[in-house]
Amino acid sequence: MLIYLTTDWRAEYAGELELWDTGAKALVHRIGRPEGEAELIRTAALLHESGRVLLAAGALATHREWDTDHPMMDEDVARRGRFLPELVEILRHHHEHWDGNGAPDGLKGDDIPLLGRILGVAEAFEELIRGGSSPLEAVDRLTEGSGTTYDPTVIEALARFVGEGERLVAILRTPPIRVPRPVEAAAKP
């Protein structure tokens, strides 16, 4: 049943999952972390908000407020699925804030697992994009929370990643420059 629900849920959120998968993994690479961590964040991105499946199915023992407690619901799903402890940790801590005012444990700064910090930024970025912000507008909004809500290093990596993407898009949208070909001299008899 969980596989069926997950497939149903994944189909509904396919666009989000693709953005998460690509964005979160790109941030791990941008920060210079090893490929194994990139794959771990990819899995976390795909499982992120998996608690929504159990909430919708009525399978959770309690119906906590989704907005505040979904990291713990995600953690519950990952524990039930016997995923790697590192993955469970990422899912649990992706709503912690750099200044210690996040949830669920009020971790601060480097005490928050790096991949949890990355997933938190990727989630916020995706929500802004889904809400109609352009990538540059989303980065601007997230930069406002750099050093309070978000890890400044992760925000800087996101800004570089989006900036490079925007430059590439601008280049691709620029019409090609037409260079006139030299007229070949007529062949002499």
Side-chain angles (χ1 to χ4, degrees):
M1 180 172 164
L2 183 58
I3 292 172
Y4 172 77
L5 290 170
T6 304
T7 303
D8 236 21
W9 177 78
R10 285 181 52 114
E12 183 179 341
Y13 293 95
E16 287 180 37
L17 293 173
E18 186 177 322
L19 179 60
W20 278 82
D21 179 356
T22 305
K25 194 172 175 180
L27 284 176
V28 171
H29 285 295
R30 176 66 57 189
I31 292 173
R33 305 302 299 171
E35 183 61 30
E37 288 184 11
E39 287 304 314
L40 193 58
I41 196 79
R42 177 182 179 275
T43 304
L46 294 172
L47 284 174
H48 172 262
E49 296 189 357
S50 57
R52 188 184 307 255
V53 173
L54 295 177
L55 184 67
L60 289 176
T62 61
H63 290 271
R64 297 172 285 211
E65 290 295 315
W66 174 255
D67 289 339
T68 56
D69 291 344
H70 86 264
M72 291 178 287
M73 293 178 188
D74 297 342
E75 174 192 23
D76 186 39
V77 169
R79 285 190 193 284
R80 289 179 189 206
R82 299 184 186 195
F83 286 95
L84 293 171
E86 297 89 345
L87 183 62
V88 173
E89 186 176 75
I90 295 165
L91 293 170
R92 178 176 179 86
H93 296 295
H94 76 276
H95 275 218
E96 301 285 359
H97 292 180
W98 187 251
D99 63 6
N101 289 318
D105 300 320
L107 299 180
K108 181 179 183 175
D110 288 329
D111 291 338
I112 306 164
L114 175 62
L115 297 181
R117 289 180 261 154
I118 291 171
L119 189 61
V121 168
E123 175 186 50
F125 181 75
E126 184 274 330
E127 286 175 1
L128 289 167
I129 297 295
R130 192 174 31 163
S133 295
S134 73
L136 289 176
E137 291 168 338
V139 169
D140 285 345
R141 294 271 312 275
L142 293 175
T143 299
E144 295 170 9
S146 180
T148 53
T149 304
Y150 308 110
D151 176 347
T153 303
V154 178
I155 295 297
E156 181 184 328
L158 176 66
R160 285 193 322 260
F161 175 67
V162 169
E164 289 171 9
E166 290 293 316
R167 282 192 296 278
L168 179 59
V169 167
I171 290 168
L172 293 174
R173 287 184 179 161
T174 304
I177 299 172
R178 305 268 182 215
V179 178
R181 293 185 180 175
V183 179
E184 293 184 30
K188 295 183 181 183

